[in-house]
PDB file of all heavy atoms in Angstrom:
ATOM      1  N   PRO A 313     -12.078   5.155  -2.873  1.00  0.00           N
ATOM      2  CA  PRO A 313     -12.654   3.765  -2.854  1.00  0.00           C
ATOM      3  C   PRO A 313     -13.459   3.393  -4.098  1.00  0.00           C
ATOM      4  O   PRO A 313     -14.091   4.232  -4.813  1.00  0.00           O
ATOM      5  CB  PRO A 313     -13.573   3.937  -1.654  1.00  0.00           C
ATOM      6  CG  PRO A 313     -14.055   5.352  -1.624  1.00  0.00           C
ATOM      7  CD  PRO A 313     -12.808   6.097  -2.180  1.00  0.00           C
ATOM      8  N   PHE A 314     -13.481   2.042  -4.425  1.00  0.00           N
ATOM      9  CA  PHE A 314     -14.348   1.611  -5.385  1.00  0.00           C
ATOM     10  C   PHE A 314     -14.812   0.222  -5.072  1.00  0.00           C
ATOM     11  O   PHE A 314     -14.163  -0.553  -4.324  1.00  0.00           O
ATOM     12  CB  PHE A 314     -13.691   1.593  -6.929  1.00  0.00           C
ATOM     13  CG  PHE A 314     -12.507   0.631  -6.919  1.00  0.00           C
ATOM     14  CD1 PHE A 314     -12.594  -0.619  -7.434  1.00  0.00           C
ATOM     15  CD2 PHE A 314     -11.182   1.106  -6.605  1.00  0.00           C
ATOM     16  CE1 PHE A 314     -11.543  -1.473  -7.574  1.00  0.00           C
ATOM     17  CE2 PHE A 314     -10.096   0.303  -6.725  1.00  0.00           C
ATOM     18  CZ  PHE A 314     -10.212  -1.002  -7.210  1.00  0.00           C
ATOM     19  N   ARG A 315     -16.024  -0.090  -5.456  1.00  0.00           N
ATOM     20  CA  ARG A 315     -16.664  -1.335  -4.997  1.00  0.00           C
ATOM     21  C   ARG A 315     -16.849  -2.230  -6.145  1.00  0.00           C
ATOM     22  O   ARG A 315     -17.498  -1.872  -7.263  1.00  0.00           O
ATOM     23  CB  ARG A 315     -18.013  -1.101  -4.318  1.00  0.00           C
ATOM     24  CG  ARG A 315     -18.802  -2.291  -3.861  1.00  0.00           C
ATOM     25  CD  ARG A 315     -20.085  -1.895  -3.245  1.00  0.00           C
ATOM     26  NE  ARG A 315     -20.822  -3.052  -2.781  1.00  0.00           N
ATOM     27  CZ  ARG A 315     -21.949  -3.112  -2.190  1.00  0.00           C
ATOM     28  NH1 ARG A 315     -22.532  -2.006  -1.898  1.00  0.00           N
ATOM     29  NH2 ARG A 315     -22.547  -4.213  -1.825  1.00  0.00           N
ATOM     30  N   ILE A 316     -16.413  -3.526  -6.059  1.00  0.00           N
ATOM     31  CA  ILE A 316     -16.587  -4.543  -7.113  1.00  0.00           C
ATOM     32  C   ILE A 316     -17.830  -5.374  -6.596  1.00  0.00           C
ATOM     33  O   ILE A 316     -17.603  -6.245  -5.753  1.00  0.00           O
ATOM     34  CB  ILE A 316     -15.382  -5.389  -7.320  1.00  0.00           C
ATOM     35  CG1 ILE A 316     -14.101  -4.543  -7.415  1.00  0.00           C
ATOM     36  CG2 ILE A 316     -15.579  -6.265  -8.512  1.00  0.00           C
ATOM     37  CD1 ILE A 316     -12.799  -5.381  -7.524  1.00  0.00           C
ATOM     38  N   ALA A 317     -18.952  -5.004  -7.084  1.00  0.00           N
ATOM     39  CA  ALA A 317     -20.188  -5.729  -6.584  1.00  0.00           C
ATOM     40  C   ALA A 317     -20.121  -7.094  -6.798  1.00  0.00           C
ATOM     41  O   ALA A 317     -19.877  -7.557  -8.057  1.00  0.00           O
ATOM     42  CB  ALA A 317     -21.440  -5.035  -7.128  1.00  0.00           C
ATOM     43  N   GLY A 318     -20.453  -7.945  -5.772  1.00  0.00           N
ATOM     44  CA  GLY A 318     -20.567  -9.431  -5.963  1.00  0.00           C
ATOM     45  C   GLY A 318     -19.230 -10.164  -6.008  1.00  0.00           C
ATOM     46  O   GLY A 318     -19.247 -11.336  -6.313  1.00  0.00           O
ATOM     47  N   VAL A 319     -18.130  -9.449  -5.907  1.00  0.00           N
ATOM     48  CA  VAL A 319     -16.873 -10.153  -6.022  1.00  0.00           C
ATOM     49  C   VAL A 319     -16.657 -11.095  -4.883  1.00  0.00           C
ATOM     50  O   VAL A 319     -17.139 -10.808  -3.712  1.00  0.00           O
ATOM     51  CB  VAL A 319     -15.676  -9.195  -6.062  1.00  0.00           C
ATOM     52  CG1 VAL A 319     -15.294  -8.590  -4.752  1.00  0.00           C
ATOM     53  CG2 VAL A 319     -14.467  -9.827  -6.797  1.00  0.00           C
ATOM     54  N   ALA A 320     -16.104 -12.212  -5.014  1.00  0.00           N
ATOM     55  CA  ALA A 320     -15.870 -13.221  -3.979  1.00  0.00           C
ATOM     56  C   ALA A 320     -14.470 -13.602  -4.088  1.00  0.00           C
ATOM     57  O   ALA A 320     -13.903 -13.699  -5.108  1.00  0.00           O
ATOM     58  CB  ALA A 320     -16.874 -14.383  -4.178  1.00  0.00           C
ATOM     59  N   GLY A 321     -13.828 -13.965  -2.897  1.00  0.00           N
ATOM     60  CA  GLY A 321     -12.525 -14.558  -2.892  1.00  0.00           C
ATOM     61  C   GLY A 321     -11.642 -13.770  -1.867  1.00  0.00           C
ATOM     62  O   GLY A 321     -12.204 -12.977  -1.144  1.00  0.00           O
ATOM     63  N   ASN A 322     -10.382 -14.145  -1.816  1.00  0.00           N
ATOM     64  CA  ASN A 322      -9.496 -13.512  -0.871  1.00  0.00           C
ATOM     65  C   ASN A 322      -9.246 -12.116  -1.301  1.00  0.00           C
ATOM     66  O   ASN A 322      -8.586 -11.945  -2.292  1.00  0.00           O
ATOM     67  CB  ASN A 322      -8.301 -14.366  -0.715  1.00  0.00           C
ATOM     68  CG  ASN A 322      -7.338 -13.887   0.356  1.00  0.00           C
ATOM     69  OD1 ASN A 322      -6.965 -12.702   0.302  1.00  0.00           O
ATOM     70  ND2 ASN A 322      -6.904 -14.694   1.301  1.00  0.00           N
ATOM     71  N   LYS A 323      -9.642 -11.108  -0.454  1.00  0.00           N
ATOM     72  CA  LYS A 323      -9.510  -9.764  -0.897  1.00  0.00           C
ATOM     73  C   LYS A 323      -8.014  -9.319  -1.111  1.00  0.00           C
ATOM     74  O   LYS A 323      -7.656  -8.596  -1.968  1.00  0.00           O
ATOM     75  CB  LYS A 323     -10.128  -8.950   0.086  1.00  0.00           C
ATOM     76  CG  LYS A 323     -10.442  -7.464  -0.305  1.00  0.00           C
ATOM     77  CD  LYS A 323     -11.159  -6.694   0.752  1.00  0.00           C
ATOM     78  CE  LYS A 323     -11.445  -5.258   0.341  1.00  0.00           C
ATOM     79  NZ  LYS A 323     -11.988  -4.446   1.309  1.00  0.00           N
ATOM     80  N   ALA A 324      -7.155  -9.768  -0.053  1.00  0.00           N
ATOM     81  CA  ALA A 324      -5.752  -9.311  -0.186  1.00  0.00           C
ATOM     82  C   ALA A 324      -5.170  -9.869  -1.432  1.00  0.00           C
ATOM     83  O   ALA A 324      -4.373  -9.269  -2.080  1.00  0.00           O
ATOM     84  CB  ALA A 324      -5.006  -9.833   1.102  1.00  0.00           C
ATOM     85  N   ASP A 325      -5.431 -11.229  -1.790  1.00  0.00           N
ATOM     86  CA  ASP A 325      -4.860 -11.760  -3.006  1.00  0.00           C
ATOM     87  C   ASP A 325      -5.338 -11.015  -4.277  1.00  0.00           C
ATOM     88  O   ASP A 325      -4.584 -10.745  -5.131  1.00  0.00           O
ATOM     89  CB  ASP A 325      -5.332 -13.254  -3.179  1.00  0.00           C
ATOM     90  CG  ASP A 325      -4.587 -14.151  -2.189  1.00  0.00           C
ATOM     91  OD1 ASP A 325      -3.517 -13.657  -1.702  1.00  0.00           O
ATOM     92  OD2 ASP A 325      -5.043 -15.251  -1.973  1.00  0.00           O
ATOM     93  N   MET A 326      -6.661 -10.610  -4.231  1.00  0.00           N
ATOM     94  CA  MET A 326      -7.218  -9.853  -5.410  1.00  0.00           C
ATOM     95  C   MET A 326      -6.498  -8.543  -5.502  1.00  0.00           C
ATOM     96  O   MET A 326      -6.093  -8.157  -6.687  1.00  0.00           O
ATOM     97  CB  MET A 326      -8.730  -9.684  -5.219  1.00  0.00           C
ATOM     98  CG  MET A 326      -9.519 -10.979  -5.637  1.00  0.00           C
ATOM     99  SD  MET A 326     -11.235 -10.566  -5.662  1.00  0.00           S
ATOM    100  CE  MET A 326     -11.663 -10.621  -3.945  1.00  0.00           C
ATOM    101  N   ALA A 327      -6.269  -7.863  -4.394  1.00  0.00           N
ATOM    102  CA  ALA A 327      -5.580  -6.545  -4.434  1.00  0.00           C
ATOM    103  C   ALA A 327      -4.194  -6.697  -4.998  1.00  0.00           C
ATOM    104  O   ALA A 327      -3.698  -5.890  -5.803  1.00  0.00           O
ATOM    105  CB  ALA A 327      -5.636  -5.939  -3.058  1.00  0.00           C
TER     106      ALA A 327
END
Side-chain angles (χ1 to χ4, degrees):
F314 63 96
R315 179 179 180 178
I316 314 176
V319 78
N322 182 307
K323 195 179 180 186
D325 284 345
M326 282 188 281

